[in-house]
Amino acid sequence: VPSTDRAQWDPIREHKIGRQILRDGRAEFEKYPRTLITDEIYLECLEKKDPAPFNTRTASGRGRLSLLILAECLEPTGEYLPVIIDDIDRASRMKSWIHPGNDTNRDTFEGRSIFNDLSSVHLGSNLVAADYLLGERLPADTRQLIRSEVKRRVLDPFRMRIESGKDIYWWVRVTHNWNSVCVLYTTACALALLADADDRAWYLATAEKLIRYSEDGFEESGFYTEGVGYWTYGFSSYLVLAEIARTVTGGQIDWMSKPLVDRMNRFGRRMEIQDGAYPSFADCRSDVVTPAWLDFWMHNRIENGADSERCETAREVKIDSFKGPPLGAMLPALVRLFHQKDFRTVNVRTEEPPLREWFDDVQFLICRPREDARIKFASTFMGGHNGVNHNHNDLGTFTVLIGAEELLTDPGAEVYTRRTFSERRYESNILNSFGHPVPVVAGCLQSPGPRDHTANYGSQFHTTLIESAF
């Protein structure tokens, strides 16, 4: 909702989340100017083959711009506009918007071609959000700069590749989180920025075709092999794009009504072992928390249709909509604020979880204690195959918990380095089977081998289910 709609924005300003945004925005404003990403820092990363200087700045810079835009929407005094305009101007002068790790040949930096990645589409979307939310409060030349730069760097290269079939971005057809994130932010830029309805329709129709690859990243049971952390990132992006598509088509397109998507949506809730503990398989942190707004979206979104959540044994509890993870990226924040029945609370259906969650298609099992058990003993077991996204060579791995405490643990994700997503991935004793409670047979760790990191390679190394009896 544009910031001129005070009937929508003023209640948020008076709520504690609005006050928190204003406090955080003030803190960021008072620290300005600060070191941001520059062409010199970008080149330093390329020359030293170390993305750390970029990584330490990109999240804080993106977060600051989001906060200042939202703060200016909450209190439209104009105080933050000079910094917002300066950020937009700085972005327009950067030679590349992408992560230096995705530009090792300097093709984008030196202008030979334009690649797009998570960094560039997030930045483009933030600039478009500034234009859409602040509107005429931004100078006309700044708004024109946003249009020209986002079209040149994000929208036009994407459309040219799709229409020509040449040099198509690799993330277009992947089944992991890059697909949903990049398709979301590219499409959102087009729908909020382009004046021509046929152009907007082209991007939405393309998104509807491409987002199916994200759906293919889920098993029929709704299981997500990337783990709970990347489910939160990837599926929240899928959900936000689904809500955008539903909104701009007046409800005629609703991906969330698909049976598979309903199972995708339930994955986060089904993964809670007990007492807020979640499995840390694949590249997932052990302290991951799923946000309630995402877990229970279908029960809280505006103009909800048939309630697929109805359960006679469940009881409804209202919880703070912003409890848990912080507000996060701009688009999920706006969806939480304006597309829920009540931005302040989430209706949560609570019921005793089943003793077991069994995903037959990937041989993943969670065992929970009875409700009256004196000791809250729980465990997880994982089968499947070694050709999945964010794979660890860990077939047969298991964990044991009492309450939320893991007694036997899966170490989960390592701190990402240049090696993590390279052909040297499985040199890591956290990512290979050495770091997991599985056998070492005749001195050999599980395949794929230490230098194999090819998409889908490893699917021939799999578990076989002999028998299941509960």
Side-chain angles (χ1 to χ4, degrees):
V1 177
S3 62
T4 50
D5 189 342
R6 301 315 307 169
Q8 294 280 350
W9 281 98
D10 287 345
I12 300 172
R13 181 190 62 199
E14 300 305 320
H15 185 261
K16 65 179 181 180
I17 186 58
R19 296 194 295 271
Q20 183 66 51
I21 291 170
L22 289 171
R23 284 195 298 270
D24 293 345
R26 168 63 56 186
E28 290 293 337
F29 179 72
E30 290 176 351
K31 287 188 285 188
Y32 197 85
R34 56 190 287 174
T35 303
L36 303 175
I37 297 169
T38 63
D39 289 343
E40 290 72 25
I41 291 172
Y42 193 95
L43 283 175
E44 176 189 348
C45 294
L46 291 176
E47 290 166 358
K48 294 183 178 179
K49 297 182 179 180
D50 179 10
F54 183 94
N55 292 342
T56 57
R57 290 169 173 84
T58 184
S60 60
R62 185 191 305 153
R64 188 195 67 254
L65 182 57
S66 297
L67 278 171
L68 294 183
I69 294 169
L70 290 173
E72 191 61 42
C73 290
L74 292 169
E75 287 189 349
T77 63
E79 182 179 12
Y80 300 140
L81 285 178
V83 176
I84 295 170
I85 294 166
D86 183 53
D87 266 3
I88 295 168
D89 186 58
R90 286 172 182 260
S92 72
R93 296 198 303 269
M94 290 169 55
K95 292 185 177 180
S96 171
W97 285 1
I98 69 173
H99 191 286
N102 298 318
D103 195 24
T104 54
N105 293 327
R106 307 189 185 189
D107 289 338
T108 297
F109 185 82
E110 295 178 0
R112 288 185 291 273
S113 65
I114 297 179
F115 182 67
N116 272 294
D117 66 359
L118 301 175
S119 294
S120 62
V121 297
H122 270 292
L123 176 55
S125 179
N126 266 2
L127 302 191
V128 172
D131 176 82
Y132 185 86
L133 295 174
L134 301 177
E136 294 183 358
R137 299 184 60 225
L138 293 175
D141 57 347
T142 298
R143 301 189 71 188
Q144 181 54 44
L145 186 64
I146 292 171
R147 281 165 169 71
S148 62
E149 288 300 297
V150 173
K151 283 182 86 305
R152 180 177 73 86
R153 297 177 188 253
V154 178
L155 298 180
D156 291 349
F158 173 80
R159 183 165 186 170
M160 176 190 71
R161 284 165 170 76
I162 295 295
E163 291 187 329
S164 69
K166 298 177 181 178
D167 196 24
I168 294 177
Y169 297 141
W170 60 262
W171 48 258
V172 161
R173 296 190 181 97
V174 299
T175 59
H176 56 69
N177 61 86
W178 271 65
N179 175 272
S180 56
V181 175
C182 291
V183 172
L184 161 64
Y185 287 98
T186 301
T187 307
C189 285
L191 295 179
L193 204 64
L194 300 180
D196 187 270
D198 288 340
D199 288 338
R200 296 197 301 273
W202 183 91
Y203 281 91
L204 184 57
T206 302
E208 188 171 29
K209 293 181 182 298
L210 299 185
I211 203 66
R212 293 170 188 167
Y213 290 102
S214 281
E215 295 172 3
D216 289 343
F218 287 79
E219 304 295 334
E220 275 301 307
S221 62
F223 191 87
Y224 195 55
T225 59
E226 289 187 71
V228 181
Y230 277 103
W231 172 82
T232 299
Y233 184 42
F235 182 70
S236 66
S237 296
Y238 180 100
L239 183 151
V240 170
L241 182 55
E243 288 302 314
I244 290 174
R246 185 169 71 105
T247 301
V248 300
T249 62
Q252 295 182 73
I253 294 177
D254 187 4
W255 305 333
M256 298 297 293
S257 66
K258 298 179 182 180
L260 173 61
V261 178
D262 182 59
R263 296 191 291 273
M264 291 159 57
N265 195 182
R266 292 171 182 265
F267 175 76
R269 275 175 289 161
R270 294 183 69 184
M271 280 295 100
E272 184 177 5
I273 304 169
Q274 61 181 358
D275 297 342
Y278 292 83
S280 52
F281 64 86
D283 287 337
C284 183
R285 291 168 53 97
S286 60
D287 60 353
V288 67
V289 176
T290 65
W293 73 270
L294 184 60
D295 283 334
F296 294 93
W297 180 257
M298 293 300 290
H299 188 50
N300 289 275
R301 68 174 184 169
I302 292 175
E303 298 176 0
N304 192 15
D307 188 354
S308 62
E309 302 283 340
R310 182 59 57 190
C311 177
E312 293 182 0
T313 63
R315 63 189 182 91
E316 291 188 1
V317 176
K318 291 184 181 295
I319 66 170
D320 181 355
S321 180
F322 297 95
K323 180 181 179 181
L327 202 59
M330 176 70 82
L331 285 181
L334 293 174
V335 165
R336 291 168 72 180
L337 291 171
F338 296 109
H339 286 253
Q340 290 185 136
K341 295 174 184 175
D342 186 344
F343 75 89
R344 295 164 295 188
T345 60
V346 171
N347 273 348
V348 174
R349 293 187 183 279
T350 62
E351 57 186 300
E352 186 65 23
L355 283 175
R356 303 174 188 88
E357 299 287 354
W358 171 237
F359 296 85
D360 181 76
D361 45 11
V362 290
Q363 298 100 48
F364 188 86
L365 175 66
I366 297 176
C367 294
R368 302 184 179 98
R370 297 191 316 273
E371 184 176 6
D372 60 350
R374 184 174 60 87
I375 297 176
K376 298 297 184 181
F377 182 95
S379 56
T380 70
F381 301 86
M382 189 171 75
H385 61 80
N386 280 339
V388 298
N389 296 320
H390 290 272
N391 175 63
H392 291 195
N393 290 331
D394 60 352
L395 303 180
T397 190
F398 62 94
T399 65
V400 173
L401 304 88
I402 291 182
E405 184 174 358
E406 284 189 326
L407 306 184
L408 302 175
T409 186
D410 184 320
E414 69 173 11
V415 176
Y416 289 168
T417 67
R418 288 173 51 211
R419 189 208 62 245
T420 303
F421 297 106
S422 74
E423 64 178 12
R424 298 174 53 212
R425 175 177 177 85
Y426 297 114
E427 293 178 13
S428 167
N429 283 335
I430 292 291
L431 307 183
N432 65 32
S433 54
F434 181 88
H436 298 83
V438 298
V440 177
V441 181
C444 295
L445 301 177
Q446 287 183 24
S447 291
R451 295 193 178 278
D452 294 312
H453 184 46
T454 305
N456 296 322
Y457 180 78
S459 58
Q460 64 267 52
F461 305 106
H462 59 87
T463 59
T464 300
L465 180 66
I466 303 299
E467 179 183 359
S468 61
F470 303 122

